[in-house]
Amino acid sequence: MAAFGAAPAGNHNPNKSSEVIQPPSDSVSSLCFSPRANHLVATSWDNQVRCWELTKNGASVTSVPKASMSHDQPVLCSAWKDDGTTVFSGGCDKQAKMWSLMSGGQPVTVAMHDAPIKEIAWIPEMNVLVTGSWDKTLKYWDTRQSNPVHTQQLPERCYAMTVRYPLMVVGTADRNLIVFNLQNPQAEFKRFSSPLKYQTRCVAAFPDQQGFLVGSIEGRVGVHHLDDSQISKNFTFKCHRDNNDIYSVNSLNFHPVHHTFATAGSDGTFNFWDKDSKQRLKAMSRCSQPIPCSTFNNDGTIYAYSVCYDWSKGAENHNPATAKTYIFLHLPQESEVKAKPRVGTTNRK
């Protein structure tokens, strides 16, 4: 697969994406779409959880702020309930909140940890919420109860998590990758070291649950199959690099229809890839700031991404009062996200 060659830094919106109005006042930490409608939630370092209602108009998207709620400290993660009525969020205040957004209810605390909550997911097949924390635990919650139904010890702090029932993959500090079969969630299915040499930043389960992607701070993605008989299909590739400059891969998202995937990085670009043909389908123009997070809507017709400071240069280099934060909405063309027929040799590395 070809190494990524970044374009020169330009304006904040070189891809002419639609812009979400009234964005957060500080960096965006997560984005997630409702599984039932084009409602987009963003969590941010200004302690807020915000929701917009989006409407597609031809080649553009308009956004209307719908509601917002607060945590006591920066919010790091978010997830929707499968019925599209409720949003979950977790963050540096060490608690997860449940917000019945569609009914206008007040947020309530449904989970607690001893350190910030980095990852959160609703698992409809189990009717539980799972939270991953820097306290080195995973906790499963029945939201009607104050105590977790199960606490799973992790070897290190939780940095990344992906769930496609029955597969769950957790990436922790020290490059640990822990695989769980959620039909037996109290036991690890498999644990191994990341195929990448540096810190894990993001993971994404294959749509068919047969493996996962892992991205790291070294500008590289690993494609890993769980079945040992498929080991020959495992590979890694370079991306989000500009000559000698190497940037973090911050986000991995599979397209819900075509099952290709997007990467977004600290170089301010996002790209679409096909893992099966080992090809990059489309390289987008470089924004003026990093892209910390991104997500597809439920039918893959909208790709949301944030452009803002990503903390890679430390808190001392960030001033929320002067920094700009953006959320953009890209409408992928089919040619950008649908795998091309395999003809002749592949472009691989």
Side-chain angles (χ1 to χ4, degrees), residues 46-63:
D46 63 6
N47 305 0
Q48 297 289 306
V49 182
R50 294 174 174 85
C51 180
W52 295 265
E53 185 171 3
L54 308 182
T55 303
K56 286 190 293 181
N57 298 293
S60 64
V61 188
T62 57
S63 57

Side-chain angles (χ1 to χ4, degrees), residues 75-286:
V75 196
L76 302 179
C77 53
S78 55
W80 282 84
K81 200 170 184 180
D82 57 303
D83 61 7
T85 64
T86 303
V87 172
F88 301 99
S89 55
C92 294
D93 54 8
K94 308 175 188 177
Q95 58 183 301
K97 293 189 176 185
M98 180 174 68
W99 182 23
S100 298
L101 190 150
M102 293 300 121
S103 63
Q106 292 299 306
V108 295
T109 298
V110 292
M112 292 290 295
H113 278 264
D114 295 329
I117 296 173
K118 178 60 174 64
E119 296 290 338
I120 195 166
W122 173 256
I123 308 175
E125 295 85 354
M126 301 169 65
N127 204 35
V128 299
L129 183 72
V130 60
T131 51
S133 170
W134 292 342
D135 67 7
K136 305 181 184 180
T137 67
L138 283 179
K139 293 185 179 182
Y140 299 82
W141 305 86
D142 179 334
T143 57
R144 300 164 297 181
Q145 301 175 10
S146 58
N147 294 317
V149 294
H150 174 62
T151 298
Q152 182 73 33
Q153 295 297 318
L154 297 173
E156 252 295 350
R157 291 155 289 166
C158 176
Y159 281 174
M161 181 171 70
T162 180
V163 179
R164 283 185 186 264
Y165 187 87
L167 172 63
M168 180 170 72
V169 182
V170 178
T172 75
D174 289 346
R175 300 173 46 246
N176 294 291
L177 293 170
I178 304 100
V179 179
F180 294 92
N181 179 348
L182 291 173
Q183 295 168 329
N184 182 24
Q186 299 189 22
E188 294 182 9
F189 177 74
K190 188 177 290 188
R191 183 196 296 191
F192 51 92
S193 293
S194 170
L196 309 180
K197 296 179 181 179
Y198 296 94
Q199 177 183 306
T200 300
R201 180 56 60 88
C202 48
V203 289
F206 293 175
D208 62 5
Q209 302 98 40
Q210 298 305 301
F212 60 91
L213 307 173
V214 54
S216 74
I217 63 170
E218 63 171 314
R220 194 183 290 268
V221 170
V223 179
H224 189 87
H225 295 76
L226 292 172
D227 190 333
D228 290 341
S229 67
Q230 302 292 308
I231 194 170
S232 62
K233 295 183 178 181
N234 296 345
F235 66 98
T236 68
F237 66 93
K238 299 174 183 177
C239 52
H240 300 284
R241 299 181 177 210
D242 184 9
N243 296 319
N244 293 325
D245 295 326
I246 299 174
Y247 298 90
S248 171
V249 181
N250 294 327
S251 186
L252 293 163
N253 307 111
F254 274 99
H255 191 278
V257 176
H258 299 302
H259 298 170
T260 54
F261 67 93
T263 63
S266 290
D267 59 343
T269 68
F270 61 96
N271 301 278
F272 299 113
W273 309 83
D274 176 30
K275 67 177 176 60
D276 296 324
S277 64
K278 301 180 180 177
Q279 292 180 338
R280 182 174 60 195
L281 303 174
K282 180 69 174 181
M284 307 303 292
S285 298
R286 185 176 183 178

